Amino acid sequence: MRKELLINENWLFIKDTADITRRDGEEISLPHSWNAIDGQDGGNDYFRGTCCYLKQLEQLPEADRYFLEIQGTNSSADVYLDGKHLAHHDGGYSTWRVDITEELGVNSLLVIKIDNSPNEIVYPQMADFTFYGGLYRDVNLICVNESHFDLDYYGGPGIKVTPVVDGKNANVEVEVFLSNAKAGQTVRYTITDREGNVVSVNETADTKLATVIENVHLWHGRKDPYLYSVKAELISGDEVIDTVSTRFGCRSYEIDPERGFILNGEEYPLRGVSRHQDRWGFGNALLPEHHEEDVELICEMGCTTIRLAHYQHDQYFYDLCDEKGLVIWAEIPYISNHMANGRANTISQM
């Protein structure tokens, strides 16, 4: 069965170096940005260069495969395990993963080298915000069976939900992505309502399920942010060998030049703000309580919508918006992994 280990503690941070053999650093915990102070003092002279993060991987659970999940590094990064280069990633805001199974040993040393200096690879080149450097979101180690819901599929969760409202019902398509699937394995799809009551259960060898939620309870913004959940279980024989889940809302929307934004057939005024992911003294290395406070303040203002500037934000923030009923506007070049989940409240714009 899948195990996800949060490995935010006990890192060694070494500033201004590309030398992965150095050990003269500062002990830190994640999330972390090296521009938490100089990136906010108004001097426009904040450090942009290469730094290294080191961690010893110890006492890991038994599994067939091990994936390193990095939820945010800005802006280019390289992963090394026991000195061997395993992966390179360009892009400062999306989740990415590395299969470290073949090189993982006892007490292996993990090094993540990150560079936020200007380059011609990662966009934007210029912007009205700081290009914070750092390992600024959570890092997980995901331990799975050889057959598992795909962890290499564009950094997504391995499951996608697409609900379409049809009268009083909702037609729901659930698609999963598998890695190393074997003959005879099946997927069990379970949909539950907000109270945990089972709406439907289906077991099939197909990676797509089409089902109907009758008399569907609609997600209706701040008035009624109702969410369903779907769990997919990969089954081999009588054993569940992997599980993924996500929440989703059912709604319809349109934009009318005369009536404005229409949610579930009703006029729904959009009043909101634009949000960046930073905080004084932390840079962009936000803690859960910072995301929570931001959402509470936005709701306290009476907002019904939020525009995310200008990149993928933390998945935790999207989840909070789902729960509170905030309609999210996301720019197409920067749509996050959140969109892959078929979420209720994400509207894209050019």
Side-chain angles (χ1 to χ4, degrees):
M1 179 64 74
R2 173 179 302 217
K3 292 183 176 66
E4 296 190 11
L5 308 178
L6 182 66
I7 56 171
N8 282 358
E9 304 299 323
N10 302 317
W11 288 79
L12 187 68
F13 170 67
I14 307 173
K15 189 175 181 180
D16 196 11
T17 185
D19 182 0
I20 66 170
T21 67
R22 284 181 53 180
R23 303 291 183 267
D24 54 333
E26 171 192 2
E27 293 184 4
I28 58 108
S29 296
L30 305 181
H32 177 267
S33 172
W34 61 73
N35 299 122
I37 303 300
D38 65 0
Q40 297 184 326
D41 61 9
N44 199 30
D45 57 352
Y46 62 97
F47 175 75
R48 299 188 69 178
T50 302
C51 301
C52 290
Y53 292 83
L54 287 68
K55 181 175 177 60
Q56 209 82 35
L57 300 180
E58 303 172 322
Q59 298 179 335
L60 302 182
E62 185 176 345
D64 292 333
R65 307 213 68 81
Y66 298 86
F67 286 81
L68 182 70
E69 179 182 77
I70 302 170
Q71 296 186 359
T73 53
N74 202 33
S75 52
S76 295
D78 291 272
V79 171
Y80 301 82
L81 196 65
D82 293 330
K84 182 174 181 179
H85 184 252
L86 298 187
H88 176 81
H89 178 79
D90 291 311
Y93 306 99
S94 57
T95 294
W96 53 291
R97 303 188 184 102
V98 183
D99 186 345
I100 64 173
T101 308
E102 302 306 324
E103 304 303 325
L104 185 63
V106 177
N107 297 331
S108 285
L109 179 64
L110 171 66
V111 179
I112 303 177
K113 183 174 68 177
I114 303 173
D115 183 4
N116 72 330
S117 59
N119 62 68
E120 297 182 355
I121 302 298
V122 180
Y123 281 82
Q125 301 286 315
M126 297 180 63
D128 58 349
F129 56 90
T130 300
F131 298 105
Y132 295 100
L135 196 53
Y136 70 94
R137 290 187 189 147
D138 290 345
V139 177
N140 294 304
L141 194 64
I142 305 177
C143 316
V144 292
N145 190 282
E146 188 68 34
S147 299
H148 55 270
F149 293 101
D150 201 345
L151 291 162
D152 288 323
Y153 191 74
Y154 299 105
I159 184 170
K160 181 175 72 172
V161 185
T162 308
V164 178
V165 175
D166 182 14
K168 294 183 178 182
N169 303 330
N171 300 318
V172 179
E173 181 181 276
V174 184
E175 183 176 8
V176 297
F177 306 92
L178 298 177
S179 181
N180 298 318
K182 295 179 172 55
Q185 293 176 344
T186 58
V187 179
R188 182 165 60 216
Y189 303 87
T190 305
I191 296 177
T192 54
D193 63 17
R194 185 165 63 184
E195 292 71 35
N197 301 309
V198 175
V199 175
S200 68
V201 179
N202 294 273
E203 186 172 336
T204 174
D206 293 335
T207 57
K208 284 187 177 182
L209 171 73
T211 189
V212 176
I213 299 178
E214 297 182 350
N215 298 312
V216 65
H217 193 141
L218 298 180
W219 185 95
H220 202 75
R222 293 291 305 281
K223 296 179 181 179
D224 189 6
Y226 193 92
L227 294 172
Y228 291 86
S229 297
V230 59
K231 178 172 66 173
E233 299 169 289
L234 182 59
I235 299 173
S236 181
D238 296 326
E239 182 184 4
V240 176
I241 59 175
D242 198 15
T243 302
V244 290
S245 62
T246 189
R247 296 181 302 173
F248 66 97
C250 300
R251 54 82 180 105
S252 64
Y253 73 90
E254 60 181 305
I255 299 174
D256 185 277
E258 302 297 328
R259 300 172 61 203
F261 185 76
I262 311 300
L263 179 63
N264 300 326
E266 300 178 6
E267 293 182 11
Y268 190 80
L270 297 179
R271 304 184 180 95
V273 295
S274 182
R275 189 240 190 186
H276 272 295
Q277 57 166 19
D278 53 13
R279 179 69 61 113
W280 177 254
F282 292 85
N284 63 347
L286 300 188
L287 300 172
E289 52 263 36
H290 299 144
H291 295 292
E292 293 160 10
E293 185 177 49
D294 280 359
V295 169
E296 290 299 327
L297 289 171
I298 291 166
C299 290
E300 184 180 314
M301 293 170 61
C303 295
T304 58
T305 186
I306 182 170
R307 175 176 180 260
L308 297 184
H310 302 278
Y311 37 74
Q312 299 102 316
H313 287 230
D314 195 306
Q315 184 63 47
Y316 184 64
F317 185 78
Y318 288 95
D319 292 341
L320 292 171
C321 290
D322 273 348
E323 294 172 2
K324 294 295 185 179
L326 289 169
V327 175
I328 296 173
W329 291 84
E331 298 165 59
I332 286 177
Y334 307 111
I335 289 175
S336 83
N337 298 326
H338 182 84
M339 288 292 284
N341 287 347
R343 298 289 191 170
N345 63 339
T346 307
I347 313 300
S348 62
Q349 66 178 59
M350 295 299 292

